[in-house]
Amino acid sequence: MSSAAEQEAERAVGRPVPQGEGHRELNGRRGRRAGPGAVRPAVWPGAPTPLGARFRVGPDGVAGTNFALWAGGAESVELCLFDAAGTETRLALVELTHEIWHGFVPGVRPGQRYGYRVHGRWDPWTGARWNPSKLLLDPYARAVDGDFALPPQVYGHVRDWPQQQVADTVRDDRDSAPYVPKGVVVHDDDDWSDDRRPKTPWADSVIYELHVRGFTKRHPGIPQELRGTYAGLAHPAALDHLVRLGVTAVELLPVHQFAHEDHLLRRGLRNYWGYNSIGYFAPHAAYSASGTAGQQVGEFKRMVRALHAAGIEVILDVVYNHTAEAGERGPTLSLRGIDNKGYYRLQSDARRYADYTGCGNTLHVVQPQVLRLITDSLRYWVTEMGVDGFRFDLAAALARSMHDVDMLSPFLAVIAQDPVLRRVKLIAEPWDVGRGGYQVGAFPPLWTEWNDRYRDAVRDFWRGALPDVRDLGYRLSGSSDLYAWGGRRPYASINFVTAHDGFTLRDLVSYERKHNEANGEGNRDGTDDNRSWNCGVEGETDDPRINALRRRQLRNLLTTLLVSTGVPMLVAGDEMGRTQGGNNNAYCQDGEVGWVDWSLLDEPGPRGLLELARRLVALRHRHPVLRRRAFFSGRAQGADGLRDLAWFTARGSEMTERDWYAPTSTLGLYLSGRDIPGRDARGAPVVDDSFLIVLHAGSRPTGFMVPGAPWGEAYEVVVDTALEDQAAVAGRVHRGGGEVRVGARSVQVLRVTG
């Protein structure tokens, strides 16, 4: 301790904070404790497993709830029960087994609200931040009742301490219970015997990334009271759109219970996307139409069942890399107050947090109890909530051992051998913000990855920014340069042009600069590397020529994505031209900017784009040559010299090494349907039609010489993005060896018919 401020902070540690004008209770609310004459429930020893609150029948057939909490360095733990009026009853958990505090409370039934107070040292300089004045959420809570506001009382330290550089070291002894949500005891009694998982093979998958609230909030076919909820997503009107589009899986933006950041609440905004988890077992309560006293669990399960019945898998976007408690100046909501050093990565100065996420903290996945928390959570969502897979936000942070990313890390090793988790879909966002965090192509077998190199190459080609087409060739054909190792397959590449993070597809062709002013951060947030082209005018315009070009570019991007080898991912609303007004970081836009605008379908342009999307997805489902399970060899498949993959110039000649290095705006990709590797379910060879895909990014129409024998005698046009109405392609057939006219900036998909 050197400065006067630090000395004052040291003297303040552990002492009560004055309840003066600067610390007045919000809205006059105060927590109430049961009076001295109240009858306290008995606490029987119970069991240390499973962790969390589990309703069951105890000794002598008495029903009650077993509570178990890992709190490694704690001195004592109090279980806090709350009645409907908010009166708190505190019960000491005296049983301690392998650092787990536990007890069975007879008579406690589902619907009971609860939390914990954990006692221990307050010594931030060594990473100890116990503060029993703060009510803590059970990390294993199955449901959460209430929302997280962030008044000063929920901080373990004095948030408004005059010397801010040491504020995190001054303990705040005000009670946080009136201001924080409570865990809810839930009865897990569902065996899923009536559910049928689709179990779609990876190669056959088409992923649709959506936000539960944003997808349903403005849908006119969903009843008002169900919009924005799990029940809304399960409604026939929502399911009908997904089924008719042909997607096989929805990838839900975070549905774990999350909290809103303080800086957003101060600006009158909220966290919309939900990448700020605080409850890894609880469905986010605000998305429930049926209630938050445990009803959200059943509603979520019914949503999963409805999606499964429609043949659609459910993949959760999960955030296990950090929590909503942020850095040392963040609130004390759960893990920080249970065992700060046990749950978080700390720097050599243990007062500070290691931050590989850009969110203030990083979970210490190397610690056994943290690894257990994550894997218990994952198994719960699979076995008890029915989900089919996970997309891991900033997965590289989970793969770090002590510091560096390690593909032999405990987390990846546990997943690889777990009998439940190794059988579900696993998607990595293969990077974090720390040193060495970019790991595209590095994750082991079983894992697929968001392939941002696909995104960048496709965007650059269609905006005319690729110096040559070498990288594009790899991306269109499955990215073998990234994934052809260790038994990985083309479907290891999750191909996407847009995601929730960044421009929508329509904004990608309408804006060259981000327009994030509504986020309140001076337009500093969000990436500047958009690789977009506005077609000549920034933002919306009435110019019919510009708008026609933009619609064509939308068709080009959508078609390229859905005929590429790998697993395509669409973003909700892109199939009908949704806009965010140029906002490329709409994480806090819980309103019309962030929600899907279904009124677009009243316009012919968006309806035409949706019909094209349906046409392309159906084409993909019909033709296994577009869904290959093995990489192309590029070698001749027979005596005639026909190869499984070939590339052509506009002159009709096969591309040479020199062609790959030369600038070009036109590329022909031939996919042979003969002798596709693998066999069908009956052991028969897989044989399909062959296709020629011509991509032309030039600003003027061009001729393309389609190859003759042995490649094809005749070619039928099945998609032409130069046309607004794809019905106009019917009957267009070209002879092999002849010239096809390709419109400016367009794609033609041709099926070999002879």
Side-chain angles (χ1 to χ4, degrees):
M1 305 294 291
S2 56
S3 69
E6 289 173 330
Q7 293 171 11
E8 171 61 18
E10 186 175 42
R11 287 192 293 270
V13 171
R15 77 183 184 197
V17 177
Q19 299 290 328
E21 288 296 316
H23 302 285
R24 184 171 295 165
E25 301 288 337
L26 289 185
N27 301 322
R29 297 181 302 168
R30 291 182 178 273
R32 293 184 293 170
R33 295 183 60 181
V39 177
R40 293 181 179 274
V43 181
W44 298 351
T49 57
L51 290 170
R54 302 302 289 266
F55 174 72
R56 62 181 177 84
V57 176
D60 301 324
V62 176
T65 299
N66 192 82
F67 295 89
L69 177 74
W70 183 92
E75 295 173 359
S76 62
V77 172
E78 291 178 297
L79 169 66
C80 307
L81 304 178
F82 294 84
D83 65 16
T87 302
E88 176 183 357
T89 299
R90 300 185 186 181
L91 305 173
L93 296 181
V94 299
E95 301 294 330
L96 180 62
T97 304
H98 303 311
E99 300 185 317
I100 297 172
W101 301 81
H102 56 91
F104 178 84
V105 185
V108 169
R109 307 187 69 83
Q112 173 67 58
R113 299 189 307 152
Y114 73 101
Y116 291 106
R117 297 182 187 272
V118 182
H119 298 254
R121 294 181 303 113
W122 175 265
D123 187 10
W125 297 272
T126 63
R129 293 182 178 271
W130 284 284
N131 185 344
S133 298
K134 308 306 167 184
L135 185 76
L136 306 174
L137 182 68
D138 179 5
Y140 280 72
R142 266 42 174 184
V144 176
D145 182 41
D147 200 2
F148 285 95
L150 295 178
Q153 290 86 347
V154 306
Y155 290 74
H157 65 281
V158 182
R159 188 185 70 180
D160 303 321
W161 189 257
Q163 291 81 31
Q164 278 292 294
Q165 69 273 25
V166 293
D168 69 286
T169 68
V170 185
R171 196 176 78 177
D172 186 323
D173 289 328
R174 289 172 292 179
D175 184 12
S176 70
Y179 312 100
V180 294
K182 316 304 189 285
V184 181
V185 176
V186 175
H187 186 25
D188 299 317
D189 59 350
D190 198 329
D191 64 5
W192 288 92
S193 60
D194 60 338
D195 181 65
R196 296 293 179 268
R197 294 176 184 262
K199 297 183 180 179
T200 307
W202 258 128
D204 300 338
S205 297
V206 177
I207 297 174
Y208 189 77
E209 188 193 39
L210 67 82
H211 189 288
V212 169
R213 179 171 167 83
F215 181 75
T216 61
K217 190 63 178 174
R218 301 178 70 183
H219 196 300
I222 298 174
Q224 185 69 42
E225 66 274 13
L226 300 183
R227 296 180 187 178
T229 70
Y230 306 119
L233 184 54
H235 190 271
L239 297 175
D240 178 69
H241 180 81
L242 299 172
V243 170
R244 294 182 65 196
L245 182 56
V247 298
T248 68
V250 290
E251 183 177 303
L252 306 183
L253 267 68
V255 295
H256 288 166
Q257 185 70 41
F258 63 86
H260 306 290
E261 294 90 332
D262 180 67
H263 69 91
L264 291 178
L265 295 173
R266 289 172 185 260
R267 296 201 298 271
L269 298 170
R270 295 163 61 84
N271 187 312
Y272 170 56
W273 286 349
Y275 291 91
N276 205 38
S277 299
I278 195 62
Y280 290 129
F281 291 77
H284 189 60
Y287 300 159
S288 173
S290 53
T292 61
Q295 298 95 330
Q296 61 265 54
V297 177
E299 185 176 328
F300 185 93
K301 291 179 179 180
R302 291 189 292 274
M303 176 198 73
V304 172
R305 277 190 172 85
L307 287 161
H308 283 178
I312 298 170
E313 294 184 303
V314 179
I315 298 171
L316 302 189
D317 195 334
V318 290
V319 188
Y320 293 111
N321 54 76
H322 76 282
T323 77
E325 292 185 301
E328 59 269 14
R329 295 187 182 181
T332 296
L333 307 174
S334 182
L335 304 183
R336 173 178 283 133
I338 294 171
D339 192 326
N340 187 52
K341 291 191 295 183
Y343 281 106
Y344 292 116
R345 289 180 180 266
L346 304 181
Q347 298 182 25
S348 54
D349 172 7
R351 180 180 155 196
R352 312 293 184 191
Y353 292 79
D355 183 9
Y356 297 112
T357 67
C359 299
N361 64 58
T362 307
L363 281 180
H364 202 345
V365 181
V366 175
Q367 297 278 19
Q369 65 275 4
V370 180
L371 190 59
R372 179 181 180 183
L373 170 67
I374 295 172
T375 53
D376 282 353
S377 168
L378 291 170
R379 281 189 293 268
Y380 171 76
W381 286 97
V382 174
T383 61
E384 299 192 41
M385 301 295 274
V387 307
D388 306 286
F390 305 94
R391 179 265 188 188
F392 292 82
D393 180 67
L394 300 183
L398 299 172
R400 290 184 181 271
S401 290
M402 293 309 296
H403 299 289
D404 295 331
V405 177
D406 178 7
M407 291 304 159
L408 298 176
S409 67
F411 172 74
L412 294 179
V414 166
I415 296 292
Q417 60 78 42
D418 188 283
V420 172
L421 301 180
R422 70 187 314 275
R423 300 172 71 89
V424 302
K425 286 183 164 65
L426 303 171
I427 306 172
E429 183 183 35
W431 50 77
D432 64 19
V433 302
R435 186 180 66 179
Y438 186 77
Q439 295 289 324
V440 172
F443 275 72
L446 295 184
W447 287 82
T448 65
E449 300 175 13
W450 270 25
N451 188 352
D452 67 331
R453 290 185 60 179
Y454 177 93
R455 175 199 65 195
D456 293 349
V458 171
R459 288 186 180 191
D460 281 347
F461 177 76
W462 286 112
R463 71 188 181 107
L466 277 184
D468 54 56
V469 290
R470 285 175 295 159
D471 197 45
L472 182 67
Y474 276 119
R475 304 310 143 230
L476 297 178
S477 58
S479 296
S480 60
D481 58 329
L482 299 176
Y483 302 114
W485 63 273
R488 303 187 81 183
R489 299 297 182 92
Y491 47 77
S493 177
I494 305 298
N495 297 334
F496 66 103
V497 177
T498 58
H500 66 275
D501 188 1
F503 281 151
T504 66
L505 200 66
R506 176 172 165 180
D507 288 353
L508 192 65
V509 301
S510 304
Y511 297 90
E512 292 187 4
R513 301 183 304 277
K514 64 187 181 185
H515 296 267
N516 299 355
E517 290 81 6
N519 296 354
E521 300 178 38
N523 206 33
R524 295 183 299 274
D525 62 305
T527 183
D528 293 312
D529 183 21
N530 295 296
R531 300 175 187 247
S532 59
W533 178 49
N534 63 17
C535 299
V537 175
E538 184 73 0
E540 297 299 313
T541 179
D542 294 327
D543 187 324
R545 182 183 59 85
I546 297 292
N547 286 329
L549 176 57
R550 287 176 177 176
R551 290 194 299 272
R552 183 178 297 192
Q553 287 288 78
L554 290 176
R555 296 193 292 271
N556 292 336
L557 291 163
L558 197 59
T559 302
T560 304
L561 174 65
L562 288 168
V563 299
S564 296
T565 301
V567 178
M569 184 184 78
L570 299 166
V571 178
D574 274 355
E575 72 276 18
M576 50 187 151
R578 184 177 77 89
T579 179
Q580 292 179 168
N583 192 320
N584 73 353
N585 188 35
Y587 78 105
C588 56
Q589 294 302 317
D590 188 6
E592 292 188 358
V593 170
W595 301 341
V596 173
D597 180 6
W598 295 93
S599 70
L600 288 168
L601 294 181
D602 296 333
E603 305 170 17
R607 285 200 307 273
L609 187 64
L610 175 58
E611 287 304 318
L612 175 63
R614 291 170 175 167
R615 185 186 188 98
L616 288 165
V617 173
L619 183 73
R620 187 177 185 90
H621 287 322
R622 285 197 305 270
H623 293 285
V625 71
L626 300 175
R627 302 180 276 108
R628 286 178 59 100
R629 289 162 165 76
F631 287 105
F632 297 97
S633 69
R635 296 188 294 270
Q637 302 295 307
D640 58 5
L642 185 69
R643 291 189 294 282
D644 59 357
L645 173 68
W647 304 90
F648 291 90
T649 68
R651 302 182 303 275
S653 60
E654 289 192 65
M655 290 184 66
T656 64
E657 188 75 9
R658 181 176 181 179
D659 291 324
W660 284 110
Y661 284 84
T664 183
S665 59
T666 310
L667 181 67
L669 166 62
Y670 184 95
L671 306 175
S672 173
R674 188 175 75 181
D675 300 324
I676 297 173
R679 297 183 295 167
D680 66 16
R682 296 177 180 270
V686 178
V687 180
D688 191 18
D689 295 328
S690 297
F691 286 86
L692 177 67
I693 301 164
V694 180
L695 301 96
H696 176 55
S699 60
R700 296 178 181 276
T702 189
F704 191 96
M705 298 295 295
V706 298
W711 308 100
E713 297 290 343
Y715 296 81
E716 174 194 15
V717 180
V718 294
V719 172
D720 184 352
T721 64
L723 303 174
E724 295 270 3
D725 183 3
Q726 293 304 302
V729 305
R732 283 174 49 185
V733 178
H734 301 278
R735 302 302 300 174
E739 183 180 81
V740 174
R741 294 300 294 173
V742 182
R745 295 191 175 94
S746 68
V747 183
Q748 283 194 30
V749 180
L750 303 99
R751 183 173 64 89
V752 177
T753 59

